[in-house]
Amino acid sequence: AESAHESSSGKKYASYTIFKAKAALTVYPVLPKFCTIGSGNLKMEKNGVVMLVFWPAIATRKYDWEKRQYFALSPTEVGSLVSLGSSDSCEFFHDPSMKSSSEGQIKKSLAIAPINDQSGYFANLNVVNNLNKTNDRLSIAITKAEFAVLRTACSYVLPHIMGWDQVISPEKQTTPKSAVNRPHPDFEWSR
Amino acid sequence: AESAHESSSGKKYASYTIFKAKAALTVYPVLPKFCTIGSGNLKMEKNGVVMLVFWPAIATRKYDWEKRQYFALSPTEVGSLVSLGSSDSCEFFHDPSMKSSSEGQIKKSLAIAPINDQSGYFANLNVVNNLNKTNDRLSIAITKAEFAVLRTACSYVLPHIMGWDQVISPEKQTTPKSAVNRPHPDFEWSR
Amino acid sequence: AESAHESSSGKKYASYTIFKAKAALTVYPVLPKFCTIGSGNLKMEKNGVVMLVFWPAIATRKYDWEKRQYFALSPTEVGSLVSLGSSDSCEFFHDPSMKSSSEGQIKKSLAIAPINDQSGYFANLNVVNNLNKTNDRLSIAITKAEFAVLRTACSYVLPHIMGWDQVISPEKQTTPKSAVNRPHPDFEWSR
Amino acid sequence: AESAHESSSGKKYASYTIFKAKAALTVYPVLPKFCTIGSGNLKMEKNGVVMLVFWPAIATRKYDWEKRQYFALSPTEVGSLVSLGSSDSCEFFHDPSMKSSSEGQIKKSLAIAPINDQSGYFANLNVVNNLNKTNDRLSIAITKAEFAVLRTACSYVLPHIMGWDQVISPEKQTTPKSAVNRPHPDFEWSR
């Protein structure tokens, strides 16, 4: 293992993980995708997400990555997370098979609720898979300090998963007024 | 559609849109403009804005981009938005024809007011056009989570629409004390 | 006037100005200075500042740039500004001639105090010059929205005037532990 | 001493130091380390830290750098620091020899507690070294303004010491979903 070479053109991976008695939670950002439009310009096609990966403990300080469950937070869900008051809770529902033939067969819900003594939050992920007849529940306690890390890091990446850092990059300085394409209402549900 | 090429020199477009029953709201940043001054240096000539585009619903999940109305927030108006308390409201008045022969013929006002149950804000845009004898009203509810996205993204772009990211860019390191030009008092009204 | 060329290598200037009945206030960041140390490396020699320029009104919407007075906020003074509560006040004292033969002959003080109805702050600059037998007072009201702009923009530039953006620039990735030079206690007063 | 050359490829050092009657505190960020994984890509191997250096006063405005003591804050400890309420306190325990033969022989603890009149915080560092039979205590008062600088600067660097700025760098745009390696539970303790 060595430190990064300055001339490297490779991709870089980094995540934030908290390990607790019954599960671990790994969090990392995923960038938006852009597609080419007329005149060599680019338009955001798909927003980025903040990916949450829950994976269960199988023994003391051993966790099973094979049994991981993903939950991808959209920009608006990240907004909900970073604005959560110390006694607030929130819940998100996802259907990863939306608009496919198996729509409605897999249901994911993530609930974040404050711990009674205000020392942090519980995050509860529930995945119901009617195809496999399985129901996975993964739960992890997030301390105030850990939540502050998530809040700070998610506030930092939010403009990036929205693609706004690309718009304001000075090398690509422009007035997007005339060129912005009509956003499509399906956009919000098609992630 | 493909992801962005690393070597692309094109412009990039990204916006944040919320779709509701009666209208949609699209938001994106517009960079400031710089002009050359002596010795190949550049000075901000016109600040950037955060552009709000309201467009009406014409059927279930169908929106009419042709009937859109723009409202461009100045840095100070963005400051007002990002510092809005949960029970605060604000209102902005714009005359897009200021200093032209049709000054005062078109009046735009944007009011942002809290929803009674503190679940978010209502944004109401009113455009009175005396030339066309029209009066367009567009209204949209913004949830707390959506407003948190706007607050975070607008706080992020504020220094950029003010041009401060250009001043502190280390490749252009300088002490601007002697070279800063006298700001003109009209500047504030001439956007 | 034209927009910035992408290939320009010139310096860029941008500031934020508020114009009121009796005075104007112009604010802009000034970068820190680095000096070379052993092995081609660089060390911050002098921190940057947030420069405040007060200039008086001499007629309706006319301001006299020749009569401007500067007040340079250090990182800690910027910290005081950005953490100011809505009913808090603060005051800073500067001697621009410190450690010269005229030390103590010019005294600058800046007081920031809340407006009674909590609609913003008053900033009062007082410059006593015993050499010229002058005493200049400049005062300006800052609305909540304008203060939010200053708070957001100053929070943004604070790590830059501290030079921390240079330390974490990935092209210059390093562990500064062994190379960091002993900060000098005079540093704090020598700006 | 001169300002930084634009073409310099050297490393840059900058820190923030507060000097008080009995001790000084110097703070600076240290970047994470990346190692190469398959296909020329890079993965964060070791997170960065915010380094705190306490050094004692030995006379009026003289401080002894040779007697300095380090305390490196992990991302989660930085999260604890930046979310500290005005009447909250926190305490961290480090063993720099963890997993070596002298494990448990050196114990460092850092306690941050509010000053009674809410004018800031006391930071108390205690280093017990059983090998040398020494016990060093260093204490410093941090004003609200100085703490605001630390909070703002630490919030700024937090995503960088987590390596997230590298993940979202647009030149390295990617979906890390498939390539992210399994975080190891020891990771949290091995810094």
Side-chain angles (χ1 to χ4, degrees):
Chain A
E2 56 191 77
S3 71
H5 293 297
E6 295 179 11
S7 59
S8 170
S9 66
K11 298 168 184 175
K12 292 194 178 174
Y13 303 105
S15 56
Y16 177 67
T17 298
I18 55 177
F19 295 98
K20 296 296 164 73
K22 295 194 179 168
L25 170 62
T26 295
V27 185
Y28 55 87
V30 177
L31 285 177
K33 289 215 159 79
F34 285 79
C35 62
T36 50
I37 51 174
S39 340
N41 294 331
L42 296 162
K43 184 189 157 230
M44 190 175 75
E45 181 188 42
K46 193 179 169 186
N47 58 254
V49 298
V50 170
M51 186 64 79
L52 307 181
V53 190
F54 292 78
W55 36 317
I58 49 172
T60 304
R61 290 181 60 193
K62 285 195 190 305
Y63 301 86
D64 189 351
W65 183 247
E66 297 307 311
K67 292 198 176 137
R68 68 192 180 276
Q69 294 282 357
Y70 290 99
F71 200 91
L73 298 177
S74 72
T76 301
E77 289 164 347
V78 171
S80 188
L81 190 79
V82 301
S83 65
L84 208 64
S86 60
S87 53
D88 291 346
S89 54
C90 61
E91 188 157 14
F92 310 124
F93 300 91
H94 287 185
D95 178 350
S97 316
M98 189 173 279
K99 294 181 185 174
S100 78
S101 60
S102 56
E103 183 168 336
Q105 295 301 303
I106 302 174
K107 284 176 182 168
K108 295 186 178 186
S109 67
L110 174 67
I112 300 176
I115 296 176
N116 283 336
D117 60 356
Q118 299 238 332
S119 65
Y121 298 88
F122 271 115
N124 297 294
L125 178 67
N126 191 14
V127 181
V128 176
N129 187 324
N130 288 332
L131 303 173
N132 299 346
K133 311 281 185 201
T134 57
N135 185 347
D136 287 299
R137 292 175 179 277
L138 285 154
S139 181
I140 194 164
I142 304 173
T143 66
K144 275 176 71 174
E146 289 157 352
F147 197 78
V149 172
L150 291 178
R151 189 195 302 272
T152 303
C154 286
S155 295
Y156 168 77
V157 297
L158 181 52
H160 296 85
I161 66 174
M162 296 165 69
W164 282 30
D165 63 314
Q166 301 294 306
V167 177
I168 59 167
S169 170
E171 309 88 77
K172 287 143 192 156
Q173 192 167 340
T174 178
T175 40
K177 191 169 169 178
S178 58
V180 77
N181 288 45
R182 192 176 63 115
H184 193 274
D186 279 354
F187 186 80
E188 206 178 16
W189 292 277
S190 64
R191 187 173 37 76
Chain B
E2 57 191 75
S3 72
H5 292 297
E6 295 180 10
S7 59
S8 169
S9 65
K11 297 168 184 175
K12 292 195 179 173
Y13 303 107
S15 55
Y16 177 68
T17 299
I18 55 177
F19 296 99
K20 296 295 164 72
K22 295 192 178 171
L25 171 62
T26 296
V27 185
Y28 56 87
V30 178
L31 284 178
K33 289 214 158 82
F34 285 79
C35 62
T36 51
I37 51 174
S39 341
N41 294 331
L42 295 162
K43 185 191 156 227
M44 190 175 75
E45 182 189 41
K46 193 179 168 187
N47 59 256
V49 298
V50 170
M51 186 65 79
L52 307 182
V53 190
F54 291 80
W55 36 316
I58 49 173
T60 303
R61 290 182 59 192
K62 286 195 188 303
Y63 302 85
D64 189 351
W65 183 248
E66 297 306 311
K67 292 197 176 136
R68 68 190 178 277
Q69 294 282 358
Y70 290 99
F71 201 90
L73 297 178
S74 71
T76 301
E77 289 164 346
V78 171
S80 189
L81 189 80
V82 301
S83 64
L84 209 63
S86 61
S87 54
D88 291 346
S89 53
C90 62
E91 189 158 14
F92 310 124
F93 299 92
H94 286 184
D95 179 350
S97 315
M98 191 174 279
K99 294 181 184 172
S100 78
S101 59
S102 57
E103 181 168 336
Q105 296 301 301
I106 302 174
K107 285 177 181 165
K108 295 185 179 185
S109 68
L110 174 66
I112 299 175
I115 296 176
N116 283 337
D117 59 357
Q118 299 238 333
S119 66
Y121 298 89
F122 270 115
N124 296 294
L125 178 68
N126 190 16
V127 181
V128 176
N129 187 324
N130 288 332
L131 303 173
N132 298 345
K133 310 281 184 201
T134 56
N135 185 347
D136 287 300
R137 292 175 180 277
L138 286 155
S139 180
I140 194 164
I142 303 172
T143 66
K144 276 177 69 176
E146 289 157 352
F147 197 78
V149 172
L150 291 179
R151 190 193 301 272
T152 303
C154 286
S155 295
Y156 169 77
V157 297
L158 182 52
H160 296 85
I161 67 174
M162 296 166 69
W164 283 29
D165 63 314
Q166 300 295 304
V167 177
I168 60 168
S169 170
E171 308 88 76
K172 286 141 192 155
Q173 191 168 341
T174 178
T175 40
K177 189 169 170 180
S178 59
V180 76
N181 289 45
R182 192 177 62 115
H184 193 275
D186 280 356
F187 186 80
E188 207 178 15
W189 293 275
S190 64
R191 189 172 36 79
Chain C
E2 57 191 75
S3 72
H5 292 296
E6 294 179 11
S7 59
S8 170
S9 65
K11 297 167 184 175
K12 292 195 179 174
Y13 303 108
S15 55
Y16 177 67
T17 299
I18 55 178
F19 296 100
K20 295 297 164 71
K22 295 192 178 170
L25 171 62
T26 296
V27 186
Y28 55 87
V30 178
L31 285 178
K33 289 213 157 81
F34 284 79
C35 63
T36 51
I37 52 174
S39 340
N41 294 331
L42 296 162
K43 185 194 158 223
M44 191 175 75
E45 181 188 43
K46 194 179 168 187
N47 59 255
V49 298
V50 170
M51 185 65 78
L52 308 182
V53 191
F54 291 80
W55 37 316
I58 49 173
T60 303
R61 290 181 59 190
K62 283 193 190 305
Y63 301 85
D64 190 350
W65 183 248
E66 297 306 311
K67 292 197 177 136
R68 68 190 179 279
Q69 294 281 359
Y70 290 99
F71 200 91
L73 298 178
S74 71
T76 302
E77 289 164 347
V78 171
S80 188
L81 190 80
V82 301
S83 64
L84 209 63
S86 61
S87 54
D88 291 345
S89 53
C90 60
E91 189 158 13
F92 310 125
F93 300 93
H94 286 184
D95 178 351
S97 314
M98 190 173 279
K99 293 182 185 171
S100 78
S101 60
S102 58
E103 182 168 337
Q105 295 301 302
I106 302 174
K107 284 177 181 166
K108 295 184 176 185
S109 67
L110 174 67
I112 299 175
I115 297 175
N116 283 335
D117 60 356
Q118 299 238 332
S119 65
Y121 298 89
F122 271 116
N124 297 293
L125 178 67
N126 191 16
V127 181
V128 176
N129 187 324
N130 288 332
L131 303 173
N132 299 346
K133 311 281 185 200
T134 56
N135 185 346
D136 287 300
R137 291 175 180 278
L138 286 155
S139 181
I140 194 164
I142 303 173
T143 66
K144 275 176 70 175
E146 290 157 352
F147 197 79
V149 173
L150 291 179
R151 189 195 301 273
T152 303
C154 286
S155 295
Y156 169 77
V157 296
L158 182 51
H160 295 86
I161 66 175
M162 296 166 69
W164 282 29
D165 63 314
Q166 301 295 306
V167 177
I168 60 168
S169 170
E171 308 88 77
K172 288 143 191 152
Q173 192 169 341
T174 178
T175 40
K177 190 168 169 180
S178 57
V180 76
N181 289 44
R182 191 177 62 119
H184 192 274
D186 280 354
F187 186 81
E188 207 177 16
W189 292 276
S190 65
R191 188 174 35 79
Chain D
E2 58 191 75
S3 71
H5 293 296
E6 295 179 10
S7 59
S8 170
S9 65
K11 297 167 184 176
K12 292 195 178 173
Y13 302 106
S15 56
Y16 177 66
T17 300
I18 55 177
F19 295 100
K20 295 296 164 71
K22 296 193 177 169
L25 171 62
T26 295
V27 186
Y28 55 87
V30 177
L31 286 178
K33 289 215 158 79
F34 284 79
C35 63
T36 51
I37 51 174
S39 341
N41 295 331
L42 296 162
K43 185 191 157 226
M44 191 174 76
E45 180 189 43
K46 192 180 168 186
N47 59 255
V49 298
V50 170
M51 186 64 78
L52 308 182
V53 190
F54 291 80
W55 36 316
I58 49 173
T60 303
R61 291 182 58 191
K62 284 194 191 305
Y63 302 85
D64 189 350
W65 184 248
E66 297 306 312
K67 292 196 176 138
R68 68 190 178 279
Q69 294 282 357
Y70 291 98
F71 200 92
L73 297 178
S74 71
T76 301
E77 289 164 346
V78 171
S80 188
L81 190 79
V82 302
S83 65
L84 209 63
S86 61
S87 54
D88 291 346
S89 54
C90 60
E91 188 158 12
F92 309 125
F93 300 92
H94 286 186
D95 177 350
S97 315
M98 190 173 279
K99 294 182 185 173
S100 77
S101 60
S102 56
E103 183 168 334
Q105 296 299 304
I106 303 174
K107 284 176 183 169
K108 297 185 178 185
S109 66
L110 174 67
I112 299 176
I115 297 176
N116 283 335
D117 60 357
Q118 298 237 334
S119 65
Y121 298 89
F122 271 116
N124 296 293
L125 178 67
N126 191 15
V127 181
V128 176
N129 188 323
N130 288 333
L131 303 172
N132 299 347
K133 311 280 184 199
T134 57
N135 185 348
D136 287 300
R137 292 174 180 277
L138 286 154
S139 181
I140 194 164
I142 303 173
T143 67
K144 275 176 70 175
E146 289 157 352
F147 197 78
V149 172
L150 291 178
R151 189 195 301 273
T152 304
C154 287
S155 295
Y156 169 77
V157 297
L158 182 51
H160 295 85
I161 67 174
M162 295 166 70
W164 282 29
D165 63 314
Q166 301 295 306
V167 177
I168 60 168
S169 169
E171 309 89 75
K172 287 142 191 153
Q173 192 168 340
T174 177
T175 40
K177 189 168 169 179
S178 58
V180 77
N181 289 45
R182 192 178 62 118
H184 192 275
D186 279 352
F187 186 81
E188 208 176 15
W189 292 277
S190 64
R191 190 175 33 80

